């Protein structure tokens, strides 16, 4: 690379992983420390968001704008409730009843712009903070979303005499950096989304080269005649400026304008000739990732612009090209997304305040993307057919992908899931992936036409827009400071102005005329030496003439000397005054530095406090971990004990079961024995009773015989009866019962 050139790359996110930054900080000091901070962007991996040093996040800012009805007594289905809420109600004949109730739905946004809301108000609320960020080196994305005819283009571009957000953003940018702009080609973009600084000589050579080769197409700020149509659009009369613009930086603005149609990217600033009779299909561009993992359109035209008029002229050129291409190629213009990119390069001046520091690390390159999205309605609305219907389907697909991405991001952030966000599914989401995944403000204006015919679609749009607000995007990192004393540009300029003023007061040589009037007049009147040759002894004229000339020369010399002394005194006095003013400015700078030091010290104390807190927490965690280990050990022991006891218990249970079974057997056996015994005894008792009955019968028979038989004969007891009584006596004694069984 040329020694005079230094290369820088698009650094929308100067965020660093905390530890890496700390490491580099230790390695370098002073300016080096700052350089380290700005050097690279650590690629962010999915799910690593919270590892960033910048943990602050902002939700996507969603605003709602209602356009007036085109016919005054048209049926309306959306009304503004207050500055943040709109209410949608179904039109007649479309009423949804739930439990007999009329269903109205309310949606809330950051702010709602009612029908009368002016372009200026919308700009002040929505876009101004983004431009402010752009000028302070941070990125922003702003898109308009809504169905066709809802006012997206009106909001973004505006109408003649009532410029929209785009011309107003340009106006604010150039109002803020107007006099601080670098000369053309000092900043030079490369084809890898990077930027380099050229030295003044190289920039001058390039200016001359380009002026020779391609004047007609490049709009020039020198051109006095502005197209009245453009003049009408940019006549915003806002005079809006960013605050605290770094005056020790030089700035350059680059714009590009692309269109995404049918998932193809087209460069609207491409200078290729367009044949209106036999149109050639435009070449689509591809998306690439730069070394900082930022997406960019490869080979896209980027034009350096120096004024609002020039920038808007470029936009208008792209707009015209878009219109012609749409007509020639029979496209539905409401089905394409248009993206106007404003890139701002800035680099600090050196210590003298005269030249740009040629250090690529110190270049800040920020970007504001203004996106006018395609109409969000369903395909059948435009009654497209064939190819157009297919193309329209793709457009819808990219909006669908946008919705899916937003939904996935929302889910991941709300529920802590790690769902893949399908950025790559469409060119639109892929291009803006960095905004959602990285840092920068994202804002969306949802445009609504309140007419009843749009009810269904407006409902979808509002629902999606309301959900989008739940997505959070990391806050952009602060721009690095270059470490040189602030106020360099104007200190030198002020010095030169003060020098001229003081010289003027003292009657000194302040400008060419004055200088000539005193010093030059004296020198012009400085008489030439006359001849001092004495040829004649009686020559009494030459010497007196010589004396006179010498006296005159001496007088003039004296006057010159006096003038010189006077000038020396005045310059001396002036230098002293300047010295004192510089001292006072330095004092001021020192006070500022002291304040900054104090702030840094306070931050350091805070960091120390947080570190201490972290250490205490780490210590506590350690103790808790130890306690956990002890408890786990105890738990293991108790579990072992429990296991052995349960085994023992099981053994006891099985023993008991066995015993029970044995006892059961014995009881059954004994019961059976006793039953048999009882049966036997009952039988014996029955026999005994029968015997007794028989004996009694016999006795009665004998008695009867005695009574009936003649007296003198003695009755005899039969021997059978005696024999029977003996075993009966034995059988009545119970059998022996085993003692163990009882
Ligand atoms: P879109 O880009 O969403 O398709 P346009 O911006 O082209 O819609 O708007 C359609 C018409 O409505 C245009 O004629 C435009 O001038 C008008 N319009 C849109 N919004 C407003 C508004 N807020 N105030 C006045 N007119 C508007
Ligand atoms: Mg439009």
């Amino acid at each position: 690379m040329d020694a005079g050139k230094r290369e820088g790359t698009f650094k929308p996110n100067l965020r660093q992983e905390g530890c890496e930054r700390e490491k580099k900080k230790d390695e370098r000091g002073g300016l080096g420390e700052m350089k380290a901070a700005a050097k690279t962007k650590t690629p962010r991996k999915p799910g690593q968001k919270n590892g960033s040093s910048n943990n602050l996040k902002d939700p996507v800012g969603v605003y709602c704008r209602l356009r007036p009805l085109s016919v005054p007594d048209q049926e309306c289905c959306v009304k503004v409730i207050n500055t943040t809420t709109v209410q949608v109600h179904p039109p007649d004949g479309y009423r949804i009843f739930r439990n007999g109730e009329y269903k109205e739905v309310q949606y809330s946004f950051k702010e709602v712009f009612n029908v009368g809301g002016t372009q200026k108000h919308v700009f002040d609320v929505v876009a101004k903070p983004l431009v402010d960020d752009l000028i302070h080196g941070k990125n922003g994305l702003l898109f308009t979303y809504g169905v066709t005819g809802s006012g997206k283009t009106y909001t973004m571009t505006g109408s003649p005499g009532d410029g929209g957000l785009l011309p107003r953003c340009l106006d604010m940018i150039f109002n803020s950096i107007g006099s601080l702009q670098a000369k053309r080609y000092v900043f030079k973009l490369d084809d890898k989304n990077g930027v380099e600084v050229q030295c003044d000589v190289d920039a001058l050579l390039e200016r001359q080269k380009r002026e020779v080769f391609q004047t007609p197409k490049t709009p020039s700020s020198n051109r006095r005649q502005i197209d009245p149509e453009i003049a009408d659009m940019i006549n915003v009369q806002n005079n809006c400026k960013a605050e605290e613009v770094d005056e020790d930086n030089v700035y350059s603005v680059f714009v590009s304008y692309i269109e995404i149609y049918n998932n193809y990217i087209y460069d609207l600033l491409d200078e290729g000739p367009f044949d209106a009779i036999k149109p050639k299909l435009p070449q689509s561009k591809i998306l690439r990732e730069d070394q900082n993992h930022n997406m960019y359109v490869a080979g896209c035209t980027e034009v350096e612009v120096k004024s609002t008029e020039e920038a808007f002229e470029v936009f208008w050129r792209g707009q015209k090209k878009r219109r012609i291409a749409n007509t020639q190629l029979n496209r539905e213009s409401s089905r394409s997304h248009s993206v106007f990119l404003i890139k701002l390069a800035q680099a600090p001046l050196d210590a003298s305040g005269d030249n740009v520091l040629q250090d690529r690390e110190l270049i800040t390159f920020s970007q504001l993307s203004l996106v006018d999205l395609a109409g969000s309605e369903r395909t059948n609305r435009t009654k497209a057919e064939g190819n157009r219907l297919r193309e329209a389907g793709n457009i819808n697909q990219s909006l669908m992908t946008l919705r899916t991405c937003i939904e996935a991001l929302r889910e991941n952030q709300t529920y802590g899931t790690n769902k893949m966000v399908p950025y790559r599914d469409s060119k639109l989401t892929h291009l803006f992936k960095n905004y959602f995944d990285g840092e920068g403000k994202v804002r969306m204006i949802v445009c609504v036409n309140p007419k009843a015919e749009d009810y269904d679609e407006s409902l979808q749009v509002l629902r999606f827009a309301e959900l989008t607000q739940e997505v959070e995007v990391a806050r952009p990192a602060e721009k690095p400071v270059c470490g040189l004393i602030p106020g360099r540009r104007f200190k030198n300029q002020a010095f030169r102005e003060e020098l001229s003023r003081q010289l003027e007061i003292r009657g000194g040589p302040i400008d060419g005329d004055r200088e000539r009037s005193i010093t030059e007049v004296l020198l012009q009147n400085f008489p030439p030496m006359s001849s001092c040759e004495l040829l004649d002894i009686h020559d009494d004229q030459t010497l007196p003439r010589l004396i006179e000339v010498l006296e005159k020369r001496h007088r003039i010399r004296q006057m010159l000397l006096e003038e010189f002394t006077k000038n020396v005194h005045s310059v001396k006095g002036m230098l002293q005054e300047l010295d004192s003013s510089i001292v006072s400015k330095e004092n001021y700078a020192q006070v500022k530095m002291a304040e900054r030091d104090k702030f840094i010290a306070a931050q350091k104390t805070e960091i120390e406090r947080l570190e201490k807190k972290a250490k205490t927490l780490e210590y506590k965690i350690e103790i808790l971990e130890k306690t956990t280990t002890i408890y786990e050990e105890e738990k293991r022991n108790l579990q072992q004990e429990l296991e052995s006891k349960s085994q023992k218990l099981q053994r006891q249970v099985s023993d008991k079961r066995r015993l029970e079974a044995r006892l059961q057997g014995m009881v059954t056996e004994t019961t059976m024995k006793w039953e048999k015994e009882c049966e036997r005894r009952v039988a014996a008792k029955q026999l005994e009773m029968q015997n007794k009955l028989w004996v009694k019968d016999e006795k009665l028979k004998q008695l009867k015989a005695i009574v009936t038989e003649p007296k003198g004969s003695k009755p005899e007891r039969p021997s059978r009866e005696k024999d029977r009584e003996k075993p009966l006596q034995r059988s009545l004694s119970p059998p022996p019962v085993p003692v163990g069984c009882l």
Side-chain angles (χ1 to χ4, degrees), residues 92-155:
D92 293 339
Y94 201 110
R95 300 197 164 178
I96 300 162
F97 287 87
R98 195 199 273 168
N99 302 332
E101 272 177 56
Y102 181 57
K103 197 186 165 197
E104 286 164 341
V105 199
Q106 292 192 352
Y107 296 96
S108 293
F109 301 99
K110 205 162 178 192
E111 191 165 334
V112 173
F113 305 111
N114 207 343
V115 170
T118 60
Q119 299 277 49
K120 180 180 168 1
H121 180 59
V122 177
F123 169 78
D124 285 346
V125 176
V126 187
K128 200 172 154 186
L130 294 179
V131 178
D132 212 75
D133 273 4
L134 176 80
I135 288 167
H136 293 101
K138 299 169 194 170
N139 301 316
L141 167 65
L142 169 62
F143 51 92
T144 50
Y145 180 73
V147 296
T148 299
S150 59
K152 297 183 296 296
T153 308
Y154 176 82
T155 301

Side-chain angles (χ1 to χ4, degrees), residues 65-68 70 114-117 119 144-156 158-159 162 334 372-375 377 447-449:
R65 186 178 200 189
L66 248 65
R67 61 156 283 187
S70 30
N114 207 343
V115 170
Q119 299 277 49
T144 50
Y145 180 73
V147 296
T148 299
S150 59
K152 297 183 296 296
T153 308
Y154 176 82
T155 301
M156 195 54 91
S159 58
D162 200 10
S334 67
D372 187 355
L373 288 176
E377 62 274 2
C447 298
V448 179
N449 187 345

Side-chain angles (χ1 to χ4, degrees), residues 213-220 223 269-274 303 313-314 317:
F213 290 111
Q214 38 128 255
T215 8
K217 291 267 174 159
T218 315
S220 155
R223 210 195 290 176
L269 304 182
D270 192 3
E271 290 296 338
F274 187 82
V303 184
E313 259 178 3
V314 173
R317 207 170 72 219

